Amino acid sequence: MAWITWWALVIGFTIAGGVEAWTSNEQVADLLDGHGLREIGYGSLFGFVSSSCSYSAIATAKNLFKKGGSAAATIGAFMFASTNLVIEIGIVIYILLGWQFLVADLVGGFMLIGLMAFGFVYLTPDKVIDQARQNVLDEGAPTVQDPVCGMEVNPEEADYSTEHDGQTYYFCSQSCKGSFDPEEANTTIREQATSLSGWKALADKQWSEWGMLWDEIAIGFIFAGLIAGFIPESVWTSVFSGPTFGLPVYVFWTAVLGAVIGVATFVCSVGNVPFGAVLYANGLPFGSVLSYIYADLIVPPIMDAYREYYGTKFAAILSGMIFVSAVLTGFVIHFIFLGAGVIPDPSSVQIAEVKIEMNYKMILNVLATVFFLFLYWLHRSDSIGDEEHGEHAHTAD
């Protein structure tokens, strides 16, 4: 599975790194201060182009909620989209499970976001949401973004700052302040994409993403390989024994089972997909696999983070809401795709390559490896930014 998806992971993390490095989140919260279609749409869009790491997603959603975004747009739309609707997970789903699962993931994702928004607006008491926001605000003062490295900095405690054109910029360190070029503070995405320093910033961000996710992805592949290789088919047959009490009942209880497996396996985001392929190949229904994938935001460590961020009551409501929404979405999507006649044959799932062959995957993986090594070199090169700043200064003279 790692061989099949390596090139896709490199491309996905590169895109995510570019978005993180070349765009700013400072004004995002202002666009998420309501729970209408506009705010939910913005939250989903920002999540789609954001991080795929579950832990990074919940931290960013917390900060957006802290800065005034609504629970529906930040915790509901942004947080879910930034783990289950991002580019890299979509590519991996397409490769391992097929286009039907990719479309189902997108359609079901928006359905789940709608269910979450409905739950926050109509089912969760306002006083519970207000208390959750107060718990987050009590953590400390609002933060701003270091314009050089992107780190969140408390302006009241920052030791390094500078003013330019009436605006104050805060930095996490002397090195960031020293390398700050006010002429580049508001550079466009095109300018970033055509400069070596812009690509170094991308490399730094995507390497940070790899640092947060490589262990979960590796665990996902290893876990899926062990399960596929050592658990006999008879075990799967006994667990997924078929619709004894009718298809709706069978799909519903296996959707619940899929969500429970998602919670129990402790694997998040992209790492969920390989094991999802194994589950589908061994009999877990189409919609129930989606329920399993969607449950990555309620693994025990993340639920504990919810408790620390928002308080016990809100964390319990949020976790329960995600679980119920994942089950209902998987159930409904299963019958929509069944009615359309597009549920794929489980035998079409890509679980493993028997041998490495000279084909398009080989070419893509070689190119991806070369590109990955180039980005790693950029990440390790400390002089690139300084050289470009020197060139700017020389030109100005």
Side-chain angles (χ1 to χ4, degrees):
M1 287 187 185
W3 174 256
I4 294 171
T5 60
W6 167 243
W7 66 271
L9 292 172
V10 173
I11 291 175
F13 280 117
T14 301
I15 294 173
V19 170
E20 290 287 325
W22 299 345
T23 61
S24 172
N25 292 328
E26 279 300 304
Q27 298 179 338
V28 169
D30 294 337
L31 299 173
L32 307 180
D33 61 355
H35 49 254
L37 289 177
R38 175 178 175 273
E39 291 80 9
I40 298 297
Y42 273 129
S44 301
L45 174 63
F46 293 139
F48 170 72
V49 297
S50 185
S51 170
S52 64
C53 173
S54 300
Y55 298 97
S56 175
I58 66 172
T60 303
K62 179 205 69 173
N63 288 333
L64 293 174
F65 180 62
K66 180 179 182 177
K67 293 177 181 179
S70 70
T74 58
I75 302 173
F78 174 87
M79 187 174 74
F80 179 81
S82 61
T83 55
N84 288 285
L85 299 181
V86 289
I87 296 170
E88 51 265 47
I89 197 172
I91 297 174
V92 175
I93 287 175
Y94 175 79
I95 293 173
L96 295 183
L97 290 165
W99 67 266
Q100 298 94 331
F101 269 98
L102 175 58
V103 174
D105 178 64
L106 294 174
V107 175
F110 286 113
M111 177 182 171
L112 190 145
I113 288 172
L115 290 174
M116 293 282 291
F118 180 88
F120 280 124
V121 175
Y122 297 106
L123 301 180
T124 307
D126 290 340
K127 63 179 182 180
V128 174
I129 295 178
D130 293 340
Q131 183 59 53
R133 195 185 303 275
Q134 188 60 47
N135 289 338
V136 174
L137 290 171
D138 288 343
E139 287 185 338
T143 59
V144 296
Q145 195 174 51
D146 184 321
V148 176
C149 69
M151 181 179 292
E152 293 292 322
V153 179
N154 184 341
E156 297 180 0
E157 300 178 357
D159 295 326
Y160 309 99
S161 63
T162 188
E163 288 193 11
H164 180 73
D165 288 343
Q167 182 175 352
T168 302
Y169 297 91
Y170 298 91
F171 308 92
C172 67
S173 65
Q174 179 62 46
S175 62
C176 280
K177 181 180 178 180
S179 61
F180 174 64
D181 183 352
E183 299 302 323
E184 294 185 352
N186 297 310
T187 53
T188 65
I189 294 178
R190 182 177 180 179
E191 291 170 333
Q192 293 265 34
T194 54
S195 68
L196 195 58
S197 61
W199 278 91
K200 174 170 169 46
L202 179 151
D204 291 340
K205 289 294 185 180
Q206 70 95 35
W207 194 258
S208 176
E209 287 290 307
W210 277 109
M212 289 185 290
L213 273 178
W214 75 267
D215 52 346
E216 290 186 2
I217 294 174
I219 290 171
F221 284 128
I222 293 171
F223 188 62
L226 291 173
I227 295 296
F230 291 104
I231 294 185
E233 185 176 349
S234 58
V235 174
W236 298 111
T237 304
S238 63
V239 174
F240 310 128
S241 55
T244 305
F245 298 102
L247 185 60
V249 174
Y250 176 66
V251 172
F252 181 78
W253 86 259
T254 52
V256 173
L257 177 61
V260 170
I261 294 173
V263 174
T265 51
F266 280 58
V267 181
C268 303
S269 191
V270 182
N272 260 341
V273 181
F275 188 44
V278 172
L279 292 174
Y280 187 62
N282 285 280
L284 190 67
F286 180 81
S288 304
V289 174
L290 290 178
S291 298
Y292 160 76
I293 293 174
Y294 291 156
D296 65 340
L297 284 170
I298 45 176
V299 297
I302 288 181
M303 286 192 286
D304 188 55
Y306 293 153
R307 181 186 59 79
E308 293 182 4
Y309 289 162
Y310 309 114
T312 303
K313 182 178 291 186
F314 187 86
I317 292 174
L318 173 60
S319 301
M321 195 182 301
I322 293 174
F323 185 90
V324 172
S325 298
V327 171
L328 291 179
T329 299
F331 179 81
V332 172
I333 291 297
H334 181 92
F335 286 100
I336 290 176
F337 277 66
L338 180 65
V342 292
I343 291 182
D345 191 316
S347 63
S348 66
V349 171
Q350 293 255 15
I351 293 183
E353 289 278 85
V354 177
K355 60 181 179 179
I356 296 176
E357 299 178 347
M358 184 61 187
N359 55 19
Y360 77 96
K361 295 174 189 173
M362 168 77 80
I363 297 173
L364 289 174
N365 281 331
V366 169
L367 293 175
T369 301
V370 173
F371 187 53
F372 177 83
L373 293 175
F374 169 70
L375 292 178
Y376 178 72
W377 173 77
L378 284 179
H379 168 68
R380 298 289 295 178
S381 300
D382 296 329
S383 60
I384 289 177
D386 297 335
E387 290 176 0
E388 290 212 354
H389 288 307
E391 291 176 4
H392 286 297
H394 180 71
T395 302
D397 293 339

